[in-house]
């Protein structure tokens, strides 16, 4: 399944952004999906996962209460609503096929969307 992220940008601390991840395949709804992020010279960091039907979500501790993951399987799209953004949230954000424990094995991510939090 091909994944395409959008919605990144430059935002001031405390601001909000909504990321989207559009999938190309109808069987998107069969998979758990994940958001990961990467800063230069660092590895990929898991951020959040949503299960295949959208009923369960998991979050990195540092984003709990600020980020909300969701999905619309009829639109084959996943979202990440990011509120109260902090400079340390600055990263390239990728959507990835798979759940928290197996997204690396699927090795399927989009091209990424840059989020920059700065005053």
């Amino acid at each position: 399944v091909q994944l395409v992220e959008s919605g990144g940008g430059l935002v001031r601390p405390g601001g909000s952004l909504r990321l989207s991840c559009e999938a190309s395949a109808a069987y998107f709804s069969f998979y758990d999906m994940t958001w990961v992020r990467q800063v230069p010279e660092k590895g990929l960091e898991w951020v959040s996962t949503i299960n295949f039907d959208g009923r369960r979500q998991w979050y990195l501790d540092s984003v709990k209460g600020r980020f909300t993951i969701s999905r619309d399987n009829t639109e084959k799209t996943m979202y990440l609503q990011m509120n109260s953004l902090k400079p340390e949230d600055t990263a390239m954000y990728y959507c990835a096929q798979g759940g928290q424990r197996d997204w690396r094995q699927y090795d399927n991510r989009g091209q990424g969307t840059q989020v920059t939090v700065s005053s």
Side-chain angles (χ1 to χ4, degrees), residues 35-51:
W35 287 100
V36 299
R37 64 188 181 187
Q38 186 171 28
V39 298
E41 300 180 354
K42 289 190 177 180
L44 288 163
E45 177 181 48
W46 172 81
V47 175
S48 183
T49 292
I50 188 165
N51 80 323

Side-chain angles (χ1 to χ4, degrees), residues 10-13 117-119:
L10 173 63
V11 64
R12 294 183 184 275
V117 185
S118 175
S119 55

Side-chain angles (χ1 to χ4, degrees), residues 33-112:
M33 293 293 294
T34 289
W35 287 100
V36 299
R37 64 188 181 187
Q38 186 171 28
V39 298
E41 300 180 354
K42 289 190 177 180
L44 288 163
E45 177 181 48
W46 172 81
V47 175
S48 183
T49 292
I50 188 165
N51 80 323
F52 71 99
D53 64 5
R55 294 186 180 185
R56 299 188 68 188
Q57 304 86 30
W58 297 267
Y59 297 96
L60 181 68
D61 282 348
S62 63
V63 308
K64 281 181 182 177
R66 300 189 298 120
F67 290 11
T68 302
I69 191 171
S70 62
R71 67 191 296 166
D72 184 338
N73 285 341
T74 60
E75 296 294 328
K76 297 179 290 182
T77 302
M78 176 177 67
Y79 304 98
L80 187 68
Q81 178 67 44
M82 304 187 297
N83 298 329
S84 302
L85 281 161
K86 303 176 180 181
E88 52 263 42
D89 295 317
T90 295
M92 182 72 78
Y93 284 72
Y94 300 90
C95 64
Q97 181 180 352
Q100 184 177 2
R101 292 181 175 83
D102 60 8
W103 63 269
R104 291 184 186 273
Q105 286 94 314
Y106 280 105
D107 193 25
N108 183 23
R109 301 191 303 275
Q111 83 291 346

